[in-house]
């Protein structure tokens, strides 16, 4: 785990860079910090890089890297996760926002930050070719809005309403159910390193401990990868239906056609 203390900047320089940034009105222990975890183990040989920060300029750097990973893809999917301030101190707001593409995850510690990253709004409100995938998103949308940030509702899909993990016997599946069924059984145990009762009270504090940063990153990756797989499978099913509608499979087989 590499912790990167924010370098001290000249006051005038900092003011110039941040004068056009929007203030964050979320209660919390304000502190500038960045913690980077590399080689976080996922299923198989997959690993994840997680950058947790409360520094808007650092977040913008990671968002630029996320955009680079999306460039030129047919499926431009961003996994989204949101964790909240302590429910014992209402109203609850978004304390942490996670964004994940492939093996890179940004964990923006809203409760520790004073400004929103400049590129964050541009990304979350993007109108073209980007799908934001979350899980049970209605509460996430509410808490983000209370915190001063929104994701384009036309591009924000709820996996819980789009897919059911078979044979769970549950009325509503959890992310662990879905991820374990469409990615790998590894994700059944993704909460083992945290205490969901006590650790969940820490999202609004500074600095986030390593186990929570790791959980936040894996949570966002599981969301991203789950929808990536589901979307791929769904496209294949729709393509099959189109072929059936054209009676494609009733035609005589010719080995010399493509």
């Amino acid at each position: 785990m590499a912790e990167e203390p924010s370098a001290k900047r000249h006051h005038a320089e900092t003011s110039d860079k941040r004068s056009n940034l929007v203030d964050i009105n979320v209660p919390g222990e304000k502190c500038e910090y960045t913690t980077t975890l590399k080689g976080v183990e996922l299923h198989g040989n997959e690993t994840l890089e997680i950058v947790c920060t409360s520094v808007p300029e650092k977040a913008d750097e990671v968002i630029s890297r996320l955009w680079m990973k999306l460039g030129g893809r047919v499926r431009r999917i961003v996994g989204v996760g949101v964790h909240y301030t302590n429910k014992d101190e209402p109203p609850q707001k978004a304390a942490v926002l996670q964004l994940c593409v492939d093996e890179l995850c940004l964990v923006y510690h809203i409760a520790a930050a004073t400004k929103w990253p400049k590129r964050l709004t541009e990304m979350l409100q993007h109108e073209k070719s980007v799908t934001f995938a979350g899980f049970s998103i209605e509460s996430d949308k509410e808490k983000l809005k209370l915190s001063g940030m929104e994701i384009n509702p036309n591009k924000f899909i709820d996996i819980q309403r789009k897919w059911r993990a078979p044979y769970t016997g549950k009325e509503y599946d959890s992310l662990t159910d879905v991820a374990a069924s469409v990615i790998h059984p590894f994700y059944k145990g993704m909460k083992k390193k945290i205490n969901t009762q006590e650790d969940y009270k820490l999202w609004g504090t500074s600095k986030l401990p390593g186990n929570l940063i790791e959980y936040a990153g894996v949570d966002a990756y599981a969301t991203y990868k789950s929808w990536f797989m589901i979307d791929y499978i769904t496209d294949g099913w729709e393509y099959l239906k189109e072929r059936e509608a054209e009676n494609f499979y009733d035609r005589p087989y010719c080995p010399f056609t493509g």
Side-chain angles (χ1 to χ4, degrees), residues 9 20 27 33-34 39 48 55 77 80 87 91 105 111 131 156 160 170 193 197 218 222 228-230 249:
R9 306 175 183 88
N20 62 342
Y33 77 102
T34 297
L48 183 66
V55 182
I77 297 168
V80 177
K87 66 180 180 180
C105 180
T131 298
F156 198 7
Q160 193 178 53
K170 297 180 179 179
K193 293 184 180 181
Q197 297 298 317
V218 174
F228 185 93
M229 297 296 293
I230 292 166
Y249 298 107

Side-chain angles (χ1 to χ4, degrees), residues 50-53 96-99 105-109 208 213 216-217:
I50 307 169
V51 182
C52 176
T53 187
V96 173
L97 172 65
Q98 305 114 263
L99 301 174
C105 180
L106 168 66
V107 176
Y108 194 59
H109 196 179
L208 288 181
I213 294 172

Side-chain angles (χ1 to χ4, degrees), residues 13-184:
E13 179 186 355
T14 304
S15 299
D16 289 343
K17 286 184 177 180
R18 299 189 177 182
S19 59
N20 62 342
L21 300 182
V22 179
D23 290 340
I24 289 178
N25 297 310
V26 175
E29 300 174 13
K30 303 302 179 183
C31 171
E32 285 197 351
Y33 77 102
T34 297
T35 303
T36 300
L37 306 181
K38 293 186 177 182
V40 175
E41 293 183 359
L42 300 170
H43 64 286
N45 295 321
E46 301 289 322
T47 61
L48 183 66
E49 178 184 352
I50 307 169
V51 182
C52 176
T53 187
S54 63
V55 182
E57 293 85 0
K58 184 65 177 180
D60 279 336
E61 290 178 17
V62 181
I63 290 170
S64 295
R65 292 175 61 193
L66 293 173
W67 271 121
M68 289 178 65
K69 288 180 174 293
L70 291 171
R73 293 188 173 192
V74 176
R75 293 176 177 80
R76 304 178 77 190
I77 297 168
V78 179
V80 177
V82 183
H83 288 92
Y84 313 146
T85 54
N86 195 335
K87 66 180 180 180
D88 297 330
E89 301 173 9
Q92 270 190 299
K93 296 184 178 183
V96 173
L97 172 65
Q98 305 114 263
L99 301 174
C100 183
V101 179
D102 275 354
E103 74 286 355
L104 176 63
C105 180
L106 168 66
V107 176
Y108 194 59
H109 196 179
I110 301 167
T114 58
K115 299 282 186 179
W116 288 107
K118 182 179 179 180
R119 301 208 67 190
L120 183 61
T121 301
E122 297 171 6
M123 183 178 222
L124 298 185
Q125 290 298 318
H126 204 270
E127 290 289 344
K128 297 180 180 179
S129 305
V130 178
T131 298
F132 297 96
F135 202 91
S136 188
I137 66 174
E138 292 306 314
S139 181
D140 291 352
K141 291 194 292 187
E142 175 192 350
K143 302 300 189 296
L144 278 172
K145 190 172 183 178
L146 284 172
S147 305
M149 185 58 61
E150 293 186 74
I151 297 175
N152 184 344
N154 298 320
K155 297 292 184 177
F156 198 7
I157 63 99
D158 190 342
I159 297 174
Q160 193 178 53
R161 294 177 178 268
K162 297 286 186 179
W163 185 266
R164 294 303 307 270
Y167 316 123
T168 64
K170 297 180 179 179
E171 184 175 358
Y172 294 104
D173 292 327
S174 66
L175 176 59
T176 57
D177 293 327
V178 173
S181 68
V182 300
I183 309 174
H184 193 278

Side-chain angles (χ1 to χ4, degrees), residues 190-196 199-200 203 211-212 215:
M190 58 189 282
K191 291 188 177 182
K192 286 184 177 179
K193 293 184 180 181
I194 64 169
N195 182 319
T196 54
D199 287 345
Y200 266 47
W203 296 116
N211 67 320
L212 272 190
Y215 168 70

